[in-house]
């Protein structure tokens, strides 16, 4: 239990202060080694004892997912399925150890670890919100020690019921004040993130669930015996801290620039109400992106309802199920754990989900109706665990907390608390928990298994750290060279060689790292090094064969190097998946023009422009095709669309338009005449023209 308490403190409290390891990697390391270390200690203590250990029906759920993941390694994505199998093994181990060790006397120790981990993480968040604290590399701030602020918010909201339990059980006045203060800090940090799913769960806990629990089990908590002064102190400290800290303005320019509230209270209220008031969210915001992913996942479920696509394979197959023209390929999870479970695991996912929801519903019903005086304390603990799991399930509908180490660990421990409680209560009508005779030989085998697993975990950790270090270092070198604005200078030759060596070594360790590896190829393409860009992109496609945007890049690369056959081959692969995607249409026009089929390229360019589906590459290609083939109306249309939607190119666009009208159309249209009048020099007071220099076309 001490190991679990320390684990739940360290996982949110610590982070990586450099970019060469992702925050998620560190947190996964902490949870994995803690679970294996706890298992090793557990079996070591029982190596000479014959005892009875507990087993619970809940254990079959993660074990079924683990077995399915191992099986899907054969027919689906081997690497991703293997990752899923390991995840469910660690989850099952935490759940089983919790079932056998989570006694009522030991639970407060675990709760303290959860609470203080959340508090330290919240303090990091407050620093990032108020002072632009940049110690931990991350994405959207304020994210504490997490990669993304949503991950932090989803974790902290699940800890609130445990923190409230500690406050309700506190007896000393100092401890009451201190717990009220720290809980308020956690609440303010949640408001700072503006994560809507976590905020919705927080409001539900604060105004419905926690008050209901404290009322139903008030006689089981110490607060029932507080003096009026202590009660006033707790409420006062909580409110004053939330309001006082919540009104402090952000000092982080990036957060202030989001225009979602300048302090925590404004931000929390704005983001909570934005689901109803901000319709742009459904058109171009994060909700619109999630809707695309959820619809694709729904199609995936209907297409493979029994077998699923394979454990972890959602990100591989998602492009196949997006609607025509969509090209959302930047996410790796569905942002809805329920949908992703059903899509990946098929019938096993359905059974697991229904079993989990059925068990939680039955546990809630039994907890509500279990009113025997002797068991009310047990029911209070169960209610706290259920409240945390309710928050967890709520945020699971807009994120992926099952796959993150901190929230995954709190999920397993919450189920462990309920399972251990079932065993203590000994449900009469239904006995989900049973006892197993445990021989010393079993424990000795367990010691060996845990020791071997820790050795394997150490090897995986070393490989993961080495791979991430090399790949991230390569990305940093590539970006440094690009930012110089002089990528072709010979002074960068050594840095380029080091970059290529690092990316080769990193991908050799882990060829499935889609998240970062393509960034190096993108920079190489900007420098014109298509040869090296191609092998990096192709290494990604070998692992994720349906990512249209990367295959389109490969086609462009082969076209640039003169290998039109390979370019057309990748174009056809793109068209099979997303024939109506704007990027694919632009690529088709460009490639047809390159191989000499300009009439067909011109025909398609006109068609796509008329339909209003175009991007920068397509309008640029239309201009060039029009100029080469004497179709000046097409060239003018391409330039005008480029001017309208890409204003940074307007100066060049107007000059090109002026050239067409002056040399081909022999006329100047009204818009260009107005521009000419603005740019012509005004007469000076002396009556002589100004010496300003104008472009010859003007």
């Amino acid at each position: 239990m001490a190991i679990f308490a320390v684990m739940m403190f360290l996982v949110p409290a610590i982070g990586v202060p450099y970019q060469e390891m992702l925050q998620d990697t560190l947190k996964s390391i902490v949870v994995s080694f803690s679970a294996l270390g706890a298992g090793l200690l557990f079996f070591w203590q029982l190596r000479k004892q014959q005892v009875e250990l507990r087993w619970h029906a809940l254990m079959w759920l993660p074990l079924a997912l683990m077995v399915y993941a191992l099986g899907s390694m054969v027919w689906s994505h081997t690497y991703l399925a293997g990752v899923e199998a390991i995840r469910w093994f660690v989850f099952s181990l935490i759940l089983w150890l919790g079932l056998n060790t989570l006694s009522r006397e030991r639970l407060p120790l675990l709760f303290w670890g959860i609470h203080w981990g959340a508090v330290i993480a919240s303090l990091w968040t407050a620093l990032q919100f108020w002072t632009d604290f940049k110690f931990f590399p991350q994405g959207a701030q304020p994210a504490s020690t997490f990669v993304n602020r949503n991950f932090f918010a989803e974790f902290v909201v699940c800890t609130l019921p445990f923190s409230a339990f500690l406050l309700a059980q506190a007896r000393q006045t100092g401890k009451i004040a201190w717990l009220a203060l720290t809980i308020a800090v956690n609440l303010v940090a949640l408001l700072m993130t503006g994560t809507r799913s976590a905020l919705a769960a927080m409001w539900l806990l604060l105004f419905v669930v926690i008050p209901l629990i404290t009322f139903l089990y008030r006689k089981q908590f110490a607060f029932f015996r507080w003096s009026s002064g202590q009660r006033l102190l707790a409420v006062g400290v909580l409110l004053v801290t939330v309001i006082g800290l919540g009104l402090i303005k952000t000092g982080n320019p990036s957060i202030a620039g989001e225009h979602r509230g300048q302090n925590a209270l404004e931000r929390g209220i704005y983001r909570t109400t934005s689901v109803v008031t901000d319709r742009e969210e459904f058109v171009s915001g994060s909700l619109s992106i999630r809707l695309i992913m959820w619809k694709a996942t729904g199609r995936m479920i209907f297409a493979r309802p029994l077998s699923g696509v394979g454990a972890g394979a959602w990100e591989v197959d998602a492009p196949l199920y997006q609607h025509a023209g969509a090209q959302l390929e930047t996410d790796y999870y569905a942002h809805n754990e329920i949908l992703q479970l059903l899509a990946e695991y098929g019938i096993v996912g359905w059974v697991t989900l229904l079993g989990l929801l059925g068990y939680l519903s039955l546990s809630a019903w039994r907890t509500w109706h279990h009113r025997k005086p002797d068991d009310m304390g047990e029911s209070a603990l169960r209610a706290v665990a259920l409240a945390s799991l309710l928050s967890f399930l709520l945020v699971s509908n807009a994120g992926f907390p099952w796959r993150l180490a901190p929230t995954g660990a709190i999920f397993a421990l919450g189920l462990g608390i309920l399972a251990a409680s079932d065993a203590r209560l000994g449900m009469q009508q239904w006995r989900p928990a049973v006892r197993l005779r445990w021989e010393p030989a079993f424990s000795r085998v367990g010691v060996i298994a845990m020791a071997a697993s820790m050795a394997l975990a150490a090897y995986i950790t070393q490989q993961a750290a080495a791979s991430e270090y090399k790949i991230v270092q390569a990305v940093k070198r590539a970006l440094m060279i690009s930012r110089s604005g002089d990528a072709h200078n010979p002074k960068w030759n050594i840095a380029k060689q080091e970059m290529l060596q690092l990316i080769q070594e990193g991908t050799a360790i882990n060829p499935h790292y889609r998240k970062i590896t393509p960034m190096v190829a993108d920079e190489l393409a900007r420098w014109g090094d298509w040869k090296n860009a191609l092998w990096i992109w192709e290494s990604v496609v070998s692992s994720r064969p349906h990512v249209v945007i990367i295959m389109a890049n490969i086609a462009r690369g082969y076209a640039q190097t003169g290998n039109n056959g390979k370019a057309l081959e990748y174009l056809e692969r793109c068209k099979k998946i997303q024939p109506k995607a704007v990027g694919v249409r632009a690529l088709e026009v460009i490639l047809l023009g390159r191989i000499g089929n300009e009439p067909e390229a011109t025909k398609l360019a006109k068609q796509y422009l008329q339909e209003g589906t175009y991007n920068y590459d397509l309008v640029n290609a239309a201009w060039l095709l029009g100029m080469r083939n004497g179709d000046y109306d097409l060239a003018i249309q391409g330039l005008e669309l480029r001017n309208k939607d890409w204003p940074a190119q307007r100066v060049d666009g107007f000059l090109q338009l002026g050239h067409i009208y002056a040399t081909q159309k022999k006329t100047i249209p009204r818009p260009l005449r107005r521009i000419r009048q603005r740019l012509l020099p005004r007469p000076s007071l002396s009556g002589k023209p100004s010496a300003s220099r104008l472009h010859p076309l003007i």
Side-chain angles (χ1 to χ4, degrees):
M1 188 52 54
I3 292 176
F4 282 157
V6 172
M7 173 185 77
M8 294 310 301
F9 170 76
L10 290 178
V11 169
I14 64 173
V16 184
Y18 47 83
Q19 294 178 327
E20 282 72 16
M21 176 181 283
L22 298 180
Q23 306 295 351
D24 289 344
T25 303
L26 174 65
K27 296 181 187 306
S28 297
I29 290 169
V30 173
V31 170
S32 298
F33 276 99
S34 297
L36 294 172
L40 179 62
L41 178 60
F42 180 80
F43 290 126
W44 180 262
Q45 290 175 334
L46 299 180
R47 70 191 185 282
K48 296 180 180 179
Q49 301 178 36
Q50 185 174 7
V51 295
E52 285 188 339
L53 297 181
R54 296 168 178 167
W55 185 263
H56 196 282
L58 268 178
M59 290 298 306
W60 295 114
L61 302 182
L63 288 175
L65 296 175
M66 183 185 75
V67 171
Y68 175 91
L70 289 170
S72 67
M73 291 177 69
V74 177
W75 57 269
S76 186
H77 198 289
T78 303
Y79 172 79
L80 294 175
V83 171
E84 287 289 291
I86 293 173
R87 180 166 69 90
W88 289 119
F89 167 74
V90 174
F91 185 97
S92 301
L93 180 60
I94 294 174
L95 174 55
W96 187 72
L97 291 173
L99 168 64
N100 284 280
T101 59
L102 287 170
S103 65
R104 288 180 61 178
E105 296 75 24
R106 294 173 178 154
L107 277 176
L109 175 63
L110 176 65
F111 291 179
W112 279 110
I114 293 172
H115 173 73
W116 281 113
V119 171
I120 300 301
S122 296
L123 290 175
W124 291 128
T125 298
L127 277 174
Q128 292 162 357
F129 187 85
W130 289 329
T131 68
D132 195 16
F133 182 72
K134 296 184 181 296
F135 187 68
F136 302 111
Q138 54 199 213
Q141 288 187 321
S144 183
T145 62
F146 294 69
V147 172
N148 186 290
R149 60 191 173 210
N150 293 347
F151 304 167
F152 161 77
E154 290 163 0
F155 172 79
V156 170
V157 76
C158 294
T159 69
L160 291 179
F162 302 116
S163 300
F165 176 87
L166 294 174
L167 176 60
Q169 287 291 63
R171 290 179 172 82
Q172 295 86 5
T173 301
K175 185 179 287 187
I176 292 170
W178 190 242
L179 279 165
L181 175 68
T182 51
I183 290 173
V185 169
N186 292 351
L187 294 175
V188 173
L190 270 172
L191 294 169
M192 289 173 174
T193 64
T195 300
R196 285 169 291 199
S197 61
L199 289 172
M202 181 188 77
W203 301 127
L204 181 64
L205 287 176
L206 292 180
F207 294 111
V208 179
V209 178
I210 292 177
L212 181 62
I213 292 173
T214 54
F215 174 76
L216 291 176
Y217 305 106
R218 57 193 179 278
K219 294 183 180 179
Q220 313 305 316
F221 293 119
F223 86 90
F224 186 70
R225 294 174 288 278
W226 285 356
S227 66
S228 57
Q230 288 176 318
R231 293 176 183 176
L232 184 62
L233 174 68
V235 175
V237 169
L238 193 66
L239 290 177
V240 169
T241 305
V242 169
I243 295 173
L245 298 182
L247 290 174
I248 299 176
K249 279 192 172 184
T250 179
N252 189 319
S254 62
I255 295 174
E258 293 175 359
H259 304 294
R260 295 174 174 176
Q262 297 301 303
N263 58 53
L265 287 174
E266 284 182 5
R267 190 175 178 83
I269 294 170
Y270 171 82
R271 292 291 286 171
T272 301
T273 58
S274 66
V275 177
V276 178
T277 60
D278 191 357
R279 308 314 298 173
E280 279 297 313
E281 283 292 331
F282 293 92
V283 179
S284 59
S286 60
L287 285 177
S288 68
I289 296 174
R290 281 171 168 77
L291 285 172
I292 294 174
M293 292 187 287
W294 295 343
K295 290 176 182 177
T297 309
R299 297 186 191 98
M300 198 182 298
I301 293 170
F302 282 108
R304 305 282 289 273
L306 298 179
S307 66
V309 298
W314 180 91
E315 64 169 291
V316 178
D317 286 3
L320 299 175
Y321 296 94
Q322 291 182 14
H323 65 77
Q327 204 173 341
L328 180 66
E329 298 162 337
T330 57
D331 271 291
Y332 314 101
Y333 304 106
H335 286 73
N336 186 306
E337 289 285 12
I338 311 303
L339 292 178
Q340 187 160 348
L341 179 74
L342 300 178
E344 290 184 348
Y345 289 84
I347 188 64
V348 176
W350 282 102
V351 171
T352 301
L353 179 63
L354 293 175
L356 175 64
L357 296 179
Y359 170 75
L360 291 176
S361 300
L362 183 61
S363 293
W365 186 85
R366 289 184 181 277
T367 301
W368 177 271
H369 289 279
H370 211 79
R371 296 299 186 87
K372 294 180 181 180
D374 295 340
D375 294 331
M376 288 291 282
E378 193 75 53
S379 295
L381 285 171
R382 293 172 63 85
V384 169
L386 285 166
S388 175
L389 291 169
L390 174 63
S391 301
F392 178 83
L393 292 176
L394 284 174
V395 298
S396 295
N397 287 282
F400 41 95
W402 295 30
R403 297 159 200 278
L404 300 173
T407 40
I410 210 168
F411 182 26
L413 289 171
L415 292 178
I417 292 170
L418 291 177
S421 176
D422 288 343
R424 290 192 297 270
L425 290 173
M427 302 295 187
Q428 288 82 7
Q429 294 88 352
W430 176 58
R431 294 182 178 273
V434 297
R435 290 191 172 273
L436 301 175
R437 186 175 178 180
W438 195 261
E439 300 290 342
F442 300 161
S443 295
R444 289 193 283 271
V445 172
V447 169
I448 296 172
M450 291 296 104
S453 297
M454 291 189 76
L456 177 61
Y459 172 74
I460 293 174
T461 297
Q462 185 274 328
Q463 291 290 90
S467 176
E468 286 186 7
Y469 176 83
K470 293 176 183 295
I471 293 173
V472 173
Q473 279 288 319
V475 171
K476 291 174 74 173
R477 280 172 168 76
L479 294 175
M480 175 186 68
I481 294 170
S482 290
R483 281 194 295 266
S484 72
D486 190 18
H488 298 288
N489 194 311
K491 70 177 182 179
W492 296 117
N493 289 344
I494 296 177
K496 289 179 180 179
Q497 292 173 2
E498 293 174 346
M499 176 198 69
L500 290 172
Q501 183 177 354
L502 286 167
I503 197 66
Q504 287 171 348
E505 293 174 353
T507 52
I509 297 172
N510 185 358
H512 306 285
Y513 220 128
R514 178 193 157 192
K515 292 180 175 67
I516 305 175
T517 303
M519 296 173 66
V520 178
D522 294 344
E523 299 307 316
L524 286 166
R526 290 189 180 95
W527 311 337
D529 189 352
W530 294 100
K531 178 181 177 182
N532 284 308
L534 279 169
W535 76 257
I536 297 174
W537 281 326
E538 287 186 319
S539 74
V540 177
V541 169
S542 66
S543 175
R544 310 294 198 277
H546 308 307
V547 182
V548 172
I549 191 170
I550 295 181
M551 287 194 291
N553 287 341
I554 294 173
R556 292 174 191 276
Y558 277 120
Q560 290 287 342
T561 56
N563 193 338
N564 293 328
K566 291 290 288 185
L568 291 173
E569 175 189 328
Y570 275 95
L571 171 63
E572 290 304 313
R573 290 176 62 176
C574 293
K575 290 173 67 175
K576 285 181 180 179
I577 299 172
Q578 279 292 350
K580 295 184 179 180
V582 178
V584 176
R585 288 182 163 187
L587 176 64
E588 184 178 19
V589 170
I590 292 170
L591 290 183
L592 287 174
R594 282 184 176 276
I595 64 175
N597 193 354
E598 293 190 350
E600 181 66 17
T602 302
K603 175 185 173 183
L604 290 176
K606 289 181 177 180
Q607 175 188 335
Y608 297 152
L609 293 182
Q610 184 178 3
E611 293 175 359
T613 56
Y614 57 84
N615 60 8
Y616 179 84
D617 291 334
L618 185 55
V619 297
N620 220 44
W623 162 50
L624 294 173
L625 284 168
M627 293 300 294
R628 284 205 299 263
N629 294 284
D631 191 341
Y632 299 111
D633 290 335
L634 176 61
I636 290 170
Q637 185 182 9
L639 286 170
E640 288 179 341
L641 289 173
R642 197 181 77 173
N643 285 352
K644 179 171 70 75
D645 294 323
W646 290 272
Q649 301 289 322
R650 291 183 71 184
V651 172
D652 177 71
F654 281 126
L655 291 175
Q656 297 297 341
L657 283 169
H659 175 74
I660 295 172
Y661 280 110
T663 61
Q664 307 298 331
K665 292 288 188 177
K666 308 298 185 181
T667 183
I668 302 177
R670 184 175 299 174
L672 289 181
R673 285 203 298 269
R674 286 199 299 266
I675 293 171
R676 183 176 184 273
Q677 289 170 0
R678 292 195 200 103
L679 295 178
L680 279 174
R682 294 181 180 181
S684 64
L685 293 176
S686 63
K688 297 180 180 180
S690 168
S692 300
R693 309 180 88 184
L694 294 175
H695 193 279
L697 287 175
I698 297 174

